[in-house]
């Protein structure tokens, strides 16, 4: 057996779906999974009658592929990826390609790219977004790593990517972990947008007293306008779904503890390392963590309902706050991309281009930001902020009202609040950093700069030192 086009290692949720996608684009696919039973189950069920061959031996799997071999990994990120690469590398030949499509940390991909490069094996780290459905029908794909391997891979597996107006939502972002860096930023934005949507739901449900289904209908309506996005559509569906056993909205039966696999935290860590402020993404990561702090969480309020407020007014302020918060979440992401682009050398609008379809953060806003940034000179985040200025100014009064009203009802709005502070800070003529510098100099001789002359200065602050 020889001559299969591509191999997929790992038949979990994503690997199975992606193997089927590749086959549907005319490729002959070899599949392998650590637990052999999973391979045989796949071959006997979803892969039946398709151009997909399952292997239980790693060597047979590798030998089934045409040269240079191209092996896609969809395995749990971290150590398992290193273990799998090690088990494969010894059996591969110079020029073969390993493509890690899992959610790996970009620094790990930098390292794997360098290590495999020394052994003559070409490595690609690919951020894949779109969940199971995306993997099956067309995900957004962010490539990084060996450029020659990318050209070959784009020809084969790039076919599986989502299309936006006939253009593939896949792109190359540079050496090593560039693709995974872009994916981490994508996931950071995803965290922030989900938190922003969730807090608006909280306000409308607990605060205004709307039913979950009603909030779902409102989200559907909003989703026809400026807020059109996959995540709002997903939220509407989740809110309207009834539990078949109890007849209650299923969402109300879900424990209020949000889990995370780490990509949001990695975005925050990368931002801290690169000196970029992404407070709304950080607030979203923090709030997920807070939901897990069971002993610290000590409820003093029950479901509050404020009948005095007209639902119409509350809805308008909530919609405006949501639009402003999501816009600033994207701008923070763009700001982080900009820092990454200085390491990897990609063009920031390229990320927005590949996020227009297939991925979890696809939205009208991404489309608009891409249109605005694709040909704009200057720094992308500053340009995006400038272009959004008029709209954000218009949204400001109701955004403030939303936060104030929600806080009065003891409903937390960390994403909206952090986005508002971010915006106000960026738009302030002067920030109180002067006092911070003064205090630093007072206790630690850290020096400060003056507005009226050049250089660094120290004062004894009247203590005669
Ligand atoms: N699910 C999503 O929406 C999504 C979206 C984008 C990216 N991703 C990323 O894609 C990757 C796969 O995700 P998934 O959702 O498909 O995961 P999954 O359903 O949990 O499957 C995990 C796969 O990893 C394999 N695996 C785990 N440890 C291994 C090891 N030490 N050696 C070899 N194989 C090992 C498992 O094999 P066994 O069957 O033998 O356990 C299984 O095939 C992850 O990095 C994930 O973060 C997921």
């Amino acid at each position: 057996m020889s001559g299969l086009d591509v191999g997929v290692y790992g038949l979990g949720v994503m690997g199975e779906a992606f193997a089927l996608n590749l086959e549907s684009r005319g490729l002959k696919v070899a599949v392998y999974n650590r637990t052999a039973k999973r391979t045989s189950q796949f071959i006997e069920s979803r892969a039946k009658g398709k151009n997909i061959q399952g292997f239980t031996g790693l060597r047979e799997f590798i030998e089934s592929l045409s040269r240079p071999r191209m092996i896609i990994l969809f395995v749990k990120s971290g150590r398992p990826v290193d273990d799998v690469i090690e088990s494969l590398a010894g059996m591969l030949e110079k020029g073969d390609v390993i493509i890690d499509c899992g959610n790996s940390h970009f620094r790990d991909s930098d390292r794997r790219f360098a290590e495999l490069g020394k052994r003559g094996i070409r490595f690609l780290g690919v951020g894949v977004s779109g969940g199971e459905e995306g993997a099956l029908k067309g995900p957004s794909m962010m490539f990084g790593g060996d450029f020659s391997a990318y050209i070959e891979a784009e020809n084969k597996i790039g076919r599986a990517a989502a299309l936006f107006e006939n253009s593939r939502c896949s792109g190359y972002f540079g050496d090593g972990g560039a693709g995974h860096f872009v994916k981490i930023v994508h996931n950071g934005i995803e965290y922030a947008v989900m938190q922003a949507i969730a807090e608006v739901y909280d306000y409308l449900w607990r605060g205004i007293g709307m039913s979950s289904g009603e909030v779902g209908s409102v989200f559907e309506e909003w989703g026809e306008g400026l807020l059109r996005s996959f995540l709002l559509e997903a939220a509407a569906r989740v809110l309207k779904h009834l539990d078949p056993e109890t007849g209650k909205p299923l969402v109300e039966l879900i424990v209020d503890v949000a889990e995370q696999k780490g990509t949001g935290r990695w975005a925050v860590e990368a931002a801290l390392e690169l000196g970029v402020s992404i407070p709304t993404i950080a607030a979203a990561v923090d709030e997920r963590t807070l939901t897990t702090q069971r002993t610290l969480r000590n409820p003093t309020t029950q479901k509050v309902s404020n009948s005095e407020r007209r639902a119409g007014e509350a809805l308008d302020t909530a919609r405006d706050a949501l639009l402003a918060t999501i816009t600033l979440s994207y701008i923070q992401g763009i700001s982080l991309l900009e820092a990454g682009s200085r390491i990897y050398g990609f063009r920031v609008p390229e990320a927005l281009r590949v996020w227009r379809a297939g991925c979890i953060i696809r939205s009208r806003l991404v489309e608009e930001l891409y249109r605005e940034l694709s040909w704009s000179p200057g720094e992308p985040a500053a340009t995006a902020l400038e272009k959004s200025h008029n709209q954000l100014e218009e949204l400001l009064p109701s955004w403030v009202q939303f936060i104030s009203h929600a806080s009065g009802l003891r409903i937390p709005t960390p994403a909206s609040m952090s986005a508002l502070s971010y915006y106000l800070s960026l738009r302030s003529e002067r920030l109180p950093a002067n006092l911070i510098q003064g205090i630093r100099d007072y206790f630690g001789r850290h020096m400060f700069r003056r507005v009226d002359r050049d250089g660094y200065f120290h004062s004894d602050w009247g203590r005669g030192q």
Side-chain angles (χ1 to χ4, degrees), residues 341-369:
S341 75
R342 288 194 273 273
I343 307 173
Y344 293 110
F346 58 81
R347 281 189 72 246
V348 170
E350 181 63 1
L352 297 164
R353 186 186 71 72
V354 306
W355 291 346
R356 290 179 303 167
C359 74
I360 301 294
I361 61 168
R362 62 185 186 263
S363 61
R364 181 168 157 175
L365 261 172
V366 166
E367 293 164 30
E368 285 180 6
L369 285 165

mmCIF file of all heavy atoms in Angstrom, residues 341-369:
data_model
loop_
_atom_site.group_PDB
_atom_site.id
_atom_site.type_symbol
_atom_site.label_atom_id
_atom_site.label_comp_id
_atom_site.label_asym_id
_atom_site.label_seq_id
_atom_site.Cartn_x
_atom_site.Cartn_y
_atom_site.Cartn_z
ATOM 1 N N SER A 341 3.696 40.472 15.295
ATOM 2 C CA SER A 341 4.159 40.686 13.916
ATOM 3 C C SER A 341 5.602 41.204 13.909
ATOM 4 O O SER A 341 6.321 41.018 12.943
ATOM 5 C CB SER A 341 3.232 41.643 13.170
ATOM 6 O OG SER A 341 3.449 42.966 13.604
ATOM 7 N N ARG A 342 6.001 41.823 15.019
ATOM 8 C CA ARG A 342 7.388 42.309 15.099
ATOM 9 C C ARG A 342 8.363 41.141 15.306
ATOM 10 O O ARG A 342 9.536 41.237 14.992
ATOM 11 C CB ARG A 342 7.529 43.368 16.202
ATOM 12 C CG ARG A 342 6.852 44.701 15.809
ATOM 13 C CD ARG A 342 7.265 45.825 16.723
ATOM 14 N NE ARG A 342 6.412 45.905 17.901
ATOM 15 C CZ ARG A 342 5.254 46.578 17.964
ATOM 16 N NH1 ARG A 342 4.830 47.236 16.911
ATOM 17 N NH2 ARG A 342 4.546 46.597 19.061
ATOM 18 N N ILE A 343 7.852 40.024 15.863
ATOM 19 C CA ILE A 343 8.713 38.842 16.034
ATOM 20 C C ILE A 343 8.705 38.014 14.752
ATOM 21 O O ILE A 343 9.738 37.574 14.266
ATOM 22 C CB ILE A 343 8.190 37.935 17.187
ATOM 23 C CG1 ILE A 343 7.995 38.715 18.478
ATOM 24 C CG2 ILE A 343 9.081 36.725 17.380
ATOM 25 C CD1 ILE A 343 7.317 37.886 19.571
ATOM 26 N N TYR A 344 7.506 37.779 14.241
ATOM 27 C CA TYR A 344 7.376 36.809 13.146
ATOM 28 C C TYR A 344 7.326 37.434 11.750
ATOM 29 O O TYR A 344 7.454 36.729 10.756
ATOM 30 C CB TYR A 344 6.121 35.960 13.367
ATOM 31 C CG TYR A 344 6.219 35.061 14.583
ATOM 32 C CD1 TYR A 344 5.448 35.291 15.725
ATOM 33 C CD2 TYR A 344 7.086 33.975 14.586
ATOM 34 C CE1 TYR A 344 5.533 34.458 16.838
ATOM 35 C CE2 TYR A 344 7.178 33.138 15.693
ATOM 36 C CZ TYR A 344 6.401 33.391 16.814
ATOM 37 O OH TYR A 344 6.503 32.560 17.897
ATOM 38 N N GLY A 345 7.056 38.736 11.695
ATOM 39 C CA GLY A 345 7.102 39.412 10.400
ATOM 40 C C GLY A 345 5.859 39.316 9.536
ATOM 41 O O GLY A 345 5.932 39.551 8.343
ATOM 42 N N PHE A 346 4.715 38.959 10.125
ATOM 43 C CA PHE A 346 3.499 38.899 9.300
ATOM 44 C C PHE A 346 2.789 40.245 9.238
ATOM 45 O O PHE A 346 3.100 41.150 10.016
ATOM 46 C CB PHE A 346 2.533 37.813 9.818
ATOM 47 C CG PHE A 346 2.099 37.977 11.257
ATOM 48 C CD1 PHE A 346 1.086 38.851 11.610
ATOM 49 C CD2 PHE A 346 2.708 37.239 12.272
ATOM 50 C CE1 PHE A 346 0.664 38.980 12.927
ATOM 51 C CE2 PHE A 346 2.306 37.364 13.604
ATOM 52 C CZ PHE A 346 1.281 38.244 13.920
ATOM 53 N N ARG A 347 1.851 40.353 8.308
ATOM 54 C CA ARG A 347 1.025 41.561 8.223
ATOM 55 C C ARG A 347 -0.222 41.319 9.064
ATOM 56 O O ARG A 347 -0.921 40.313 8.879
ATOM 57 C CB ARG A 347 0.606 41.827 6.770
ATOM 58 C CG ARG A 347 1.695 42.468 5.915
ATOM 59 C CD ARG A 347 1.117 42.903 4.563
ATOM 60 N NE ARG A 347 0.251 44.063 4.686
ATOM 61 C CZ ARG A 347 -1.058 44.077 4.457
ATOM 62 N NH1 ARG A 347 -1.682 42.984 4.088
ATOM 63 N NH2 ARG A 347 -1.769 45.185 4.593
ATOM 64 N N VAL A 348 -0.522 42.227 9.986
ATOM 65 C CA VAL A 348 -1.652 42.042 10.901
ATOM 66 C C VAL A 348 -2.984 41.812 10.161
ATOM 67 O O VAL A 348 -3.755 40.921 10.537
ATOM 68 C CB VAL A 348 -1.750 43.241 11.884
ATOM 69 C CG1 VAL A 348 -3.042 43.196 12.676
ATOM 70 C CG2 VAL A 348 -0.537 43.240 12.820
ATOM 71 N N PRO A 349 -3.284 42.569 9.089
ATOM 72 C CA PRO A 349 -4.582 42.352 8.427
ATOM 73 C C PRO A 349 -4.747 40.941 7.859
ATOM 74 O O PRO A 349 -5.874 40.477 7.661
ATOM 75 C CB PRO A 349 -4.580 43.387 7.286
ATOM 76 C CG PRO A 349 -3.620 44.431 7.715
ATOM 77 C CD PRO A 349 -2.558 43.715 8.499
ATOM 78 N N GLU A 350 -3.627 40.248 7.656
ATOM 79 C CA GLU A 350 -3.700 38.875 7.152
ATOM 80 C C GLU A 350 -4.464 37.985 8.150
ATOM 81 O O GLU A 350 -5.199 37.079 7.755
ATOM 82 C CB GLU A 350 -2.273 38.357 6.902
ATOM 83 C CG GLU A 350 -2.152 36.961 6.358
ATOM 84 C CD GLU A 350 -2.758 36.754 4.968
ATOM 85 O OE1 GLU A 350 -3.293 37.707 4.365
ATOM 86 O OE2 GLU A 350 -2.720 35.597 4.505
ATOM 87 N N ALA A 351 -4.288 38.262 9.443
ATOM 88 C CA ALA A 351 -5.008 37.469 10.450
ATOM 89 C C ALA A 351 -6.510 37.736 10.331
ATOM 90 O O ALA A 351 -7.327 36.812 10.376
ATOM 91 C CB ALA A 351 -4.512 37.822 11.849
ATOM 92 N N LEU A 352 -6.867 39.010 10.153
ATOM 93 C CA LEU A 352 -8.290 39.342 10.028
ATOM 94 C C LEU A 352 -8.859 38.700 8.759
ATOM 95 O O LEU A 352 -9.997 38.248 8.735
ATOM 96 C CB LEU A 352 -8.472 40.864 9.995
ATOM 97 C CG LEU A 352 -8.031 41.560 11.286
ATOM 98 C CD1 LEU A 352 -7.857 43.050 11.067
ATOM 99 C CD2 LEU A 352 -9.037 41.319 12.408
ATOM 100 N N ARG A 353 -8.028 38.644 7.717
ATOM 101 C CA ARG A 353 -8.498 38.033 6.465
ATOM 102 C C ARG A 353 -8.888 36.565 6.693
ATOM 103 O O ARG A 353 -9.965 36.142 6.279
ATOM 104 C CB ARG A 353 -7.400 38.129 5.394
ATOM 105 C CG ARG A 353 -7.854 37.655 4.023
ATOM 106 C CD ARG A 353 -6.738 37.616 3.006
ATOM 107 N NE ARG A 353 -5.757 36.560 3.238
ATOM 108 C CZ ARG A 353 -5.963 35.255 3.058
ATOM 109 N NH1 ARG A 353 -7.122 34.843 2.603
ATOM 110 N NH2 ARG A 353 -5.026 34.368 3.329
ATOM 111 N N VAL A 354 -8.013 35.816 7.412
ATOM 112 C CA VAL A 354 -8.324 34.391 7.581
ATOM 113 C C VAL A 354 -9.374 34.146 8.671
ATOM 114 O O VAL A 354 -9.884 33.043 8.795
ATOM 115 C CB VAL A 354 -7.074 33.511 7.844
ATOM 116 C CG1 VAL A 354 -6.023 33.704 6.766
ATOM 117 C CG2 VAL A 354 -6.472 33.762 9.208
ATOM 118 N N TRP A 355 -9.699 35.177 9.433
ATOM 119 C CA TRP A 355 -10.747 35.034 10.466
ATOM 120 C C TRP A 355 -12.144 35.372 9.932
ATOM 121 O O TRP A 355 -13.107 35.376 10.677
ATOM 122 C CB TRP A 355 -10.450 35.949 11.662
ATOM 123 C CG TRP A 355 -9.253 35.554 12.473
ATOM 124 C CD1 TRP A 355 -8.568 34.373 12.440
ATOM 125 C CD2 TRP A 355 -8.589 36.355 13.476
ATOM 126 N NE1 TRP A 355 -7.527 34.396 13.329
ATOM 127 C CE2 TRP A 355 -7.511 35.600 13.985
ATOM 128 C CE3 TRP A 355 -8.800 37.640 13.983
ATOM 129 C CZ2 TRP A 355 -6.658 36.077 14.980
ATOM 130 C CZ3 TRP A 355 -7.945 38.114 14.975
ATOM 131 C CH2 TRP A 355 -6.894 37.341 15.458
ATOM 132 N N ARG A 356 -12.243 35.701 8.655
ATOM 133 C CA ARG A 356 -13.555 36.132 8.158
ATOM 134 C C ARG A 356 -14.549 34.984 8.001
ATOM 135 O O ARG A 356 -15.749 35.202 7.953
ATOM 136 C CB ARG A 356 -13.393 36.894 6.829
ATOM 137 C CG ARG A 356 -12.735 38.261 7.020
ATOM 138 C CD ARG A 356 -12.579 38.960 5.699
ATOM 139 N NE ARG A 356 -11.817 38.141 4.770
ATOM 140 C CZ ARG A 356 -11.716 38.357 3.471
ATOM 141 N NH1 ARG A 356 -12.360 39.375 2.940
ATOM 142 N NH2 ARG A 356 -10.989 37.570 2.692
ATOM 143 N N ALA A 357 -14.065 33.753 7.871
ATOM 144 C CA ALA A 357 -14.979 32.607 7.794
ATOM 145 C C ALA A 357 -14.328 31.406 8.459
ATOM 146 O O ALA A 357 -13.110 31.336 8.589
ATOM 147 C CB ALA A 357 -15.309 32.291 6.341
ATOM 148 N N GLY A 358 -15.164 30.471 8.892
ATOM 149 C CA GLY A 358 -14.681 29.202 9.439
ATOM 150 C C GLY A 358 -14.337 29.235 10.906
ATOM 151 O O GLY A 358 -14.461 28.225 11.585
ATOM 152 N N CYS A 359 -13.912 30.383 11.434
ATOM 153 C CA CYS A 359 -13.428 30.377 12.821
ATOM 154 C C CYS A 359 -14.518 30.833 13.801
ATOM 155 O O CYS A 359 -15.567 31.335 13.411
ATOM 156 C CB CYS A 359 -12.181 31.232 12.956
ATOM 157 S SG CYS A 359 -12.512 32.985 12.901
ATOM 158 N N ILE A 360 -14.209 30.660 15.068
ATOM 159 C CA ILE A 360 -15.174 30.943 16.135
ATOM 160 C C ILE A 360 -15.443 32.449 16.268
ATOM 161 O O ILE A 360 -16.521 32.855 16.698
ATOM 162 C CB ILE A 360 -14.651 30.366 17.484
ATOM 163 C CG1 ILE A 360 -14.425 28.847 17.375
ATOM 164 C CG2 ILE A 360 -15.577 30.685 18.648
ATOM 165 C CD1 ILE A 360 -15.650 28.008 17.173
ATOM 166 N N ILE A 361 -14.474 33.298 15.923
ATOM 167 C CA ILE A 361 -14.709 34.745 16.098
ATOM 168 C C ILE A 361 -15.109 35.425 14.785
ATOM 169 O O ILE A 361 -15.033 36.640 14.671
ATOM 170 C CB ILE A 361 -13.496 35.452 16.755
ATOM 171 C CG1 ILE A 361 -12.232 35.324 15.896
ATOM 172 C CG2 ILE A 361 -13.256 34.934 18.169
ATOM 173 C CD1 ILE A 361 -11.095 36.252 16.362
ATOM 174 N N ARG A 362 -15.545 34.648 13.812
ATOM 175 C CA ARG A 362 -15.993 35.260 12.556
ATOM 176 C C ARG A 362 -17.188 36.167 12.859
ATOM 177 O O ARG A 362 -18.059 35.822 13.669
ATOM 178 C CB ARG A 362 -16.337 34.203 11.508
ATOM 179 C CG ARG A 362 -17.478 33.273 11.884
ATOM 180 C CD ARG A 362 -17.633 32.195 10.822
ATOM 181 N NE ARG A 362 -18.777 31.343 11.013
ATOM 182 C CZ ARG A 362 -18.755 30.151 11.609
ATOM 183 N NH1 ARG A 362 -17.625 29.699 12.135
ATOM 184 N NH2 ARG A 362 -19.836 29.414 11.709
ATOM 185 N N SER A 363 -17.213 37.308 12.224
ATOM 186 C CA SER A 363 -18.243 38.287 12.545
ATOM 187 C C SER A 363 -18.200 39.426 11.531
ATOM 188 O O SER A 363 -17.221 39.586 10.808
ATOM 189 C CB SER A 363 -17.991 38.875 13.942
ATOM 190 O OG SER A 363 -16.729 39.522 13.944
ATOM 191 N N ARG A 364 -19.227 40.204 11.562
ATOM 192 C CA ARG A 364 -19.268 41.378 10.691
ATOM 193 C C ARG A 364 -18.141 42.350 11.063
ATOM 194 O O ARG A 364 -17.537 42.976 10.202
ATOM 195 C CB ARG A 364 -20.643 42.047 10.854
ATOM 196 C CG ARG A 364 -20.800 43.241 9.977
ATOM 197 C CD ARG A 364 -22.234 43.679 9.936
ATOM 198 N NE ARG A 364 -22.273 45.083 9.560
ATOM 199 C CZ ARG A 364 -23.376 45.746 9.346
ATOM 200 N NH1 ARG A 364 -24.547 45.150 9.468
ATOM 201 N NH2 ARG A 364 -23.339 47.012 9.008
ATOM 202 N N LEU A 365 -17.879 42.437 12.375
ATOM 203 C CA LEU A 365 -16.797 43.340 12.815
ATOM 204 C C LEU A 365 -15.444 42.941 12.238
ATOM 205 O O LEU A 365 -14.663 43.801 11.839
ATOM 206 C CB LEU A 365 -16.704 43.314 14.340
ATOM 207 C CG LEU A 365 -17.382 44.448 15.072
ATOM 208 C CD1 LEU A 365 -17.387 44.182 16.569
ATOM 209 C CD2 LEU A 365 -16.688 45.767 14.771
ATOM 210 N N VAL A 366 -15.158 41.642 12.195
ATOM 211 C CA VAL A 366 -13.884 41.185 11.617
ATOM 212 C C VAL A 366 -13.826 41.588 10.148
ATOM 213 O O VAL A 366 -12.801 42.087 9.669
ATOM 214 C CB VAL A 366 -13.714 39.649 11.759
ATOM 215 C CG1 VAL A 366 -12.589 39.142 10.881
ATOM 216 C CG2 VAL A 366 -13.430 39.272 13.191
ATOM 217 N N GLU A 367 -14.947 41.396 9.455
ATOM 218 C CA GLU A 367 -14.974 41.754 8.028
ATOM 219 C C GLU A 367 -14.696 43.245 7.854
ATOM 220 O O GLU A 367 -13.927 43.655 6.985
ATOM 221 C CB GLU A 367 -16.343 41.422 7.416
ATOM 222 C CG GLU A 367 -16.614 39.932 7.362
ATOM 223 C CD GLU A 367 -18.097 39.629 7.122
ATOM 224 O OE1 GLU A 367 -18.793 40.435 6.471
ATOM 225 O OE2 GLU A 367 -18.555 38.575 7.606
ATOM 226 N N GLU A 368 -15.352 44.050 8.707
ATOM 227 C CA GLU A 368 -15.159 45.501 8.584
ATOM 228 C C GLU A 368 -13.744 45.914 8.945
ATOM 229 O O GLU A 368 -13.126 46.734 8.264
ATOM 230 C CB GLU A 368 -16.167 46.245 9.460
ATOM 231 C CG GLU A 368 -17.532 46.204 8.811
ATOM 232 C CD GLU A 368 -18.601 46.923 9.604
ATOM 233 O OE1 GLU A 368 -18.296 47.562 10.618
ATOM 234 O OE2 GLU A 368 -19.768 46.827 9.182
ATOM 235 N N LEU A 369 -13.219 45.335 10.026
ATOM 236 C CA LEU A 369 -11.850 45.688 10.430
ATOM 237 C C LEU A 369 -10.860 45.303 9.336
ATOM 238 O O LEU A 369 -9.926 46.043 9.045
ATOM 239 C CB LEU A 369 -11.489 44.997 11.749
ATOM 240 C CG LEU A 369 -12.130 45.616 12.991
ATOM 241 C CD1 LEU A 369 -12.034 44.674 14.188
ATOM 242 C CD2 LEU A 369 -11.466 46.955 13.340
#
